[in-house]
Amino acid sequence: MRPIRRDPGRVRRALATLALVLALLPAAGGCGKEGSPPAKGPKPGKLPSYKAATTFRLPSSPTWRRAERRGHLTVGVKEDQPYLGEKDPATGRYSGFDIEIAKMMAASLGFKPSTIRFRTIASANRETALQNGQIDYYVGTYTINPLRKRQVGFAGPYYLAGQSLLVRTDEKDIHGPRDLAGKRVCSVAGSTPLQRIESDYPKAHAVAYDTYSVCVDNLLTFQVDAVTTDNVILLGYAAKAPKELKVAGRPFSKEPYGIGVPKRDNALRFALDDAIQAYERNGDWKKAYDATLGLSGVRAPKPPPIDRYRTG
Ligand code: GLU
């Protein structure tokens, strides 16, 4: 008979990992119980407050007209991306840099923050949600690219990210995408990072889920070797679990973040372009960044120039 070996260290490590996985799951049961420590998140006192433009009208935008009639905006966002778009499972409240951008845009269109209805939409469903009117606009780490521009419109960019890799802290072999040959790497369906891995690094074993938090759980439980997406998303997860996770190597793509709008609504797109510029100039963009994304350890960069592109 094989003797039963006890390894308390291993058991402890497994339990710690399990606790972390539960903590990172956005809607895990039992989270946010009264008395549980608050998650490290945006500092509410440090966030700017945005004044809704009282006399603003945009009758040339069908999206704006509809929203005005119904009295609220529906905005598509993410709910599991630390410091960018996060939903508190206890209160249902959303926070993060993308959420702040969404609020700035709402104010510029004449809508108070209390009239915004946030709706979580996964990467793969963004274009359809905009096309079928489920949402008025989308703010959630949404890369502007020519392929997507055929289906939706983009205001911005309001931030420039780059694809990167997240690994466990004890990982020694993965420093860049070339090291992924023969390794399992997780990303999200319908995302540009997944497409890039599949097309440019075919020796990697790509695994796709609907959300990055599921990928991170897979990394923590040794089911994949890396997670790939934009550096800012990964830095957020690493900041939440610095003992277990780290970002490896340098960014290897350019991901300019835009606000997705219905394709033919140029009036809305240009109005949001103007709004982004105004909030960058009055300092609120930087203030919002410092209170949210800045917490994952990266200083506010200069925002990229707005691309007011014309459509034929
Ligand atoms: N920015 C990339 C994209 O739009 C990755 C992040 C995401 O999936 O939202 O596909």
Side-chain angles (χ1 to χ4, degrees):
M1 217 170 68
R2 254 177 52 196
I4 301 167
R5 275 186 46 215
R6 296 224 172 126
D7 180 350
R10 206 170 149 204
V11 173
R12 222 180 304 123
R13 276 196 303 279
L15 286 174
T17 304
L18 185 69
L20 193 72
V21 168
L22 288 175
L24 284 171
L25 276 173
C31 274
K33 275 192 315 241
E34 234 182 294
S36 67
K40 242 205 286 172
K43 298 182 179 156
K46 299 247 156 93
L47 289 170
S49 53
Y50 319 107
K51 258 218 147 71
T54 45
T55 55
F56 182 87
R57 296 195 58 75
L58 196 62
S60 51
S61 159
T63 313
W64 185 88
R65 280 202 313 268
R66 250 182 288 126
E68 150 94 339
R69 235 178 289 130
R70 71 170 108 88
H72 69 261
L73 279 169
T74 309
V75 181
V77 292
K78 294 286 182 70
E79 69 170 34
D80 67 333
Q81 299 184 174
Y83 309 114
L84 282 155
E86 249 183 312
K87 186 177 176 182
D88 182 328
T91 61
R93 231 175 268 142
Y94 286 82
S95 63
F97 185 58
D98 280 335
I99 305 302
E100 292 306 305
I101 297 285
K103 288 181 186 166
M104 290 175 203
M105 298 304 106
S108 75
L109 296 172
F111 289 85
K112 287 195 207 110
S114 59
T115 65
I116 308 173
R117 297 198 185 163
F118 289 110
R119 191 162 173 175
T120 302
I121 307 273
S123 295
N125 304 330
R126 295 182 280 211
E127 289 80 28
T128 332
L130 285 166
Q131 282 163 344
N132 66 20
Q134 263 175 285
I135 53 174
D136 297 318
Y137 57 88
Y138 187 92
V139 195
T141 61
Y142 197 10
T143 295
I144 304 171
N145 69 23
L147 200 71
R148 288 176 178 166
K149 270 187 186 170
R150 285 198 222 145
Q151 305 177 65
V152 300
F154 284 104
Y158 62 89
Y159 188 80
L160 181 62
Q163 186 170 352
S164 218
L165 301 171
L166 183 75
V167 294
R168 290 179 297 267
T169 35
D170 58 2
E171 174 64 58
K172 302 247 163 16
D173 302 332
I174 303 175
H175 307 283
R178 264 174 249 291
D179 303 327
L180 293 173
K183 306 271 187 192
R184 286 169 68 82
V185 58
C186 192
S187 197
V188 158
S191 73
T192 48
L194 177 68
Q195 283 154 18
R196 190 167 295 104
I197 289 295
E198 286 176 339
S199 63
D200 299 0
Y201 304 95
K203 288 195 184 133
H205 295 299
V207 181
Y209 287 99
D210 285 344
T211 61
Y212 296 109
S213 49
V214 172
C215 280
V216 172
D217 296 339
N218 274 273
L219 180 62
L220 286 166
T221 51
F222 296 80
Q223 294 175 66
V224 297
D225 304 298
V227 176
T228 189
T229 186
D230 305 336
N231 55 346
V232 275
I233 302 176
L234 300 178
L235 283 164
Y237 291 119
K240 296 246 169 174
K243 284 204 197 100
E244 290 79 11
L245 302 171
K246 66 179 180 190
V247 176
R250 326 208 93 248
F252 51 95
S253 78
K254 283 199 165 72
E255 309 290 331
Y257 288 169
I259 299 169
V261 298
K263 175 140 183 345
R264 260 170 279 280
D265 201 337
N266 285 338
L268 178 64
R269 176 158 66 86
F270 291 136
L272 296 186
D273 279 339
D274 292 343
I276 297 170
Q277 205 147 38
Y279 281 106
E280 285 171 0
R281 289 198 179 137
N282 80 358
D284 281 352
W285 183 96
K286 177 161 188 307
K287 212 168 157 194
Y289 179 97
D290 288 343
T292 56
L293 252 192
L295 299 177
S296 61
V298 183
R299 285 246 218 99
K302 216 173 105 141
I306 306 285
D307 176 17
R308 268 177 92 91
Y309 64 91
R310 299 271 155 193
T311 44

